[in-house]
Amino acid sequence: MRYLLNVTEKYRVDTEEEAQALINEAKTASVYELTKYSSTAKENKRTEETWYIVSLTKTFQTEKEPTSIIEPTYTKKEWEFDY
């Protein structure tokens, strides 16, 4: 049997406000415990574009006493550009 204990997800968002909103949303989730998070500002010096990387570590259960089988599901959505 295999048990998913935790995952670390990284997101790119455009603003510091979006980064904080993402962290706050993760803090209130009932499916997991948010055990670690960070937000880091990044900048492309050539274009002066700024964005934020948000890292969230979500813990589902302890390794000593796992109680559930967790199966993550990922969905990829293509970005549509308006030209």
Side-chain angles (χ1 to χ4, degrees):
M1 185 67 58
R2 60 181 173 193
Y3 299 94
L4 178 62
L5 303 176
N6 63 52
V7 296
T8 300
E9 299 176 349
K10 285 191 173 185
Y11 296 91
R12 176 185 164 152
V13 295
D14 293 331
T15 66
E16 187 174 4
E17 292 78 19
E18 287 177 294
Q20 191 58 52
L22 185 57
I23 291 168
N24 290 340
E25 180 183 320
K27 285 181 178 179
T28 62
S30 61
V31 176
Y32 55 83
E33 178 184 355
L34 185 64
T35 51
K36 184 177 176 184
Y37 60 89
S38 67
S39 172
T40 306
K42 299 287 188 168
E43 180 181 1
N44 182 332
K45 295 188 192 270
R46 282 190 305 137
T47 64
E48 297 182 6
E49 177 187 16
T50 302
W51 64 90
Y52 292 80
I53 299 297
V54 178
S55 178
L56 306 171
T57 299
K58 301 173 179 181
T59 300
F60 299 102
Q61 54 200 338
T62 65
E63 68 180 72
K64 290 183 180 180
E65 296 182 25
T67 58
S68 303
I69 296 175
I70 308 290
E71 294 183 1
T73 302
Y74 297 98
T75 303
K76 181 178 178 180
K77 295 181 180 179
E78 296 296 328
W79 183 259
E80 295 181 18
F81 294 98
D82 294 328
Y83 291 104

